[in-house]
Amino acid sequence: QVQLVESGGGLAQAGGSLRLSCVVSGRTFNNFNTLVMAWFRQAPGKEREFVASINRSGVIKNYADTVKGRFTVSRDNGKNTVYLQMNSLTPEDTAIYYCAAVRTTSPVWTGVSQSSFELWGQGTQVTVSS
């Protein structure tokens, strides 16, 4: 059984920064580098939306237009961890942030659709005050 556990959420002021982490683990899990990883978020009263994704090697990245230039997704395959560095935060970034993963044989595919991802974390709350 594979688990995704997010951490790093909390309260930040507008203009501030937070760094989210997502560790992938499991009793028989040993192939993090076959996973495409992504971050999604869900604000109160809104549908969950794509934030960023990263291919297996960490070279190819996708961002939602709303976070492009402010957020950076990265991964450490040696630590089974994906990160989301969030800078220049605004109150509109307030949401529960979810880590997601899917196995793929493609070395370049990243993915932006929720339906593409099969594994999900429990989410971590990010609140940005004005």
Side-chain angles (χ1 to χ4, degrees), residues 7 19-23 32 37-39 52 54 63 71-77 79-86 99:
S7 62
R19 188 194 195 203
L20 306 184
S21 300
C22 172
V23 179
F32 181 73
M37 303 298 298
W39 290 93
I54 187 168
Y63 296 97
F71 290 11
T72 302
V73 61
S74 62
R75 64 191 293 163
D76 185 336
N77 286 352
K79 295 182 178 180
N80 290 2
T81 303
V82 64
Y83 304 97
L84 185 68
Q85 177 67 44
M86 306 186 294
C99 175

Side-chain angles (χ1 to χ4, degrees), residues 55-58 60 104-109:
N55 78 321
R56 300 185 318 181
S57 67
I60 302 173
T104 178
T105 57
S106 169
V108 297
W109 182 82

Side-chain angles (χ1 to χ4, degrees), residues 25-114:
S25 64
R27 193 166 63 89
T28 59
F29 180 74
N30 61 358
N31 53 359
F32 181 73
N33 60 3
T34 67
L35 299 179
V36 167
M37 303 298 298
W39 290 93
F40 291 82
R41 67 185 182 185
Q42 187 167 19
K46 295 186 177 181
E47 295 186 352
R48 192 158 54 183
E49 63 177 7
F50 169 77
V51 175
S53 60
I54 187 168
N55 78 321
R56 300 185 318 181
S57 67
V59 172
I60 302 173
K61 306 173 184 182
N62 269 326
Y63 296 97
D65 288 343
T66 52
V67 307
K68 201 170 292 183
R70 300 187 299 121
F71 290 11
T72 302
V73 61
S74 62
R75 64 191 293 163
D76 185 336
N77 286 352
K79 295 182 178 180
N80 290 2
T81 303
V82 64
Y83 304 97
L84 185 68
Q85 177 67 44
M86 306 186 294
N87 298 329
S88 301
L89 286 163
T90 74
E92 288 68 38
D93 295 315
T94 295
I96 299 174
Y97 283 72
Y98 296 92
C99 175
V102 62
R103 292 180 179 84
T104 178
T105 57
S106 169
V108 297
W109 182 82
T110 52
V112 300
S113 171
Q114 294 184 57

